[in-house]
Amino acid sequence: MTESSGVLRVMRILSALLLLAIGGIHLFLVFDGVGGTLGVLFVLNTIAAFVLAIGMLTVRGRLFRIATVLSLLFVIASLASLLLALTVGLFGITEVWTFTLVPETVVVEAIGIVILGITTAVAFRAPAVARTA
């Protein structure tokens, strides 16, 4: 195992854990009573996070690079949606900082953007042998 493939393996695991955390937060909020349009969006967010986390751990080669980019875009979109809901509103939904897990979600998703950005960079820079590991 080369140093590059070891780093990539660690980044895969960290990325999957962060995606699971993001999905878990949204699933918790649904079970905590968030309903309506926001509840449906949170369920979709949860499903997407879990599928992407599985992809981060299972796919190889070119599909892994696609999964890293999709995961990064997903986390960026999730954080951007929350920030829009906190400021100007999104789909008629306005959010407040004091709502359940809002500050924690911002922190987890910001860390997710950094980790997935690094994972994406490592995936695209890794030699072909390390991408299939």
Side-chain angles (χ1 to χ4, degrees), residues 97-108:
W97 280 100
T98 56
F99 189 73
T100 308
L101 295 179
V102 168
E104 293 86 352
T105 302
V106 170
V107 170
V108 169

Side-chain angles (χ1 to χ4, degrees), residues 27-110:
L27 185 61
F28 171 80
L29 291 170
V30 170
F31 287 129
D32 195 45
V34 174
T37 303
L38 189 57
V40 172
L41 293 173
F42 280 7
V43 169
L44 293 174
N45 184 291
T46 300
I47 293 168
F50 288 169
V51 168
L52 289 168
I54 291 168
M56 292 299 292
L57 297 173
T58 59
V59 298
R60 303 285 185 246
R62 187 177 314 197
L63 285 178
F64 175 66
R65 289 185 283 161
I66 293 170
T68 62
V69 171
L70 290 176
S71 296
L72 178 60
L73 292 173
F74 166 76
V75 177
I76 290 170
S78 186
L79 181 57
S81 298
L82 176 56
L83 295 177
L84 283 172
L86 285 166
T87 55
V88 296
L90 181 66
F91 304 126
I93 299 167
T94 54
E95 198 56 74
V96 293
W97 280 100
T98 56
F99 189 73
T100 308
L101 295 179
V102 168
E104 293 86 352
T105 302
V106 170
V107 170
V108 169
E109 290 179 350

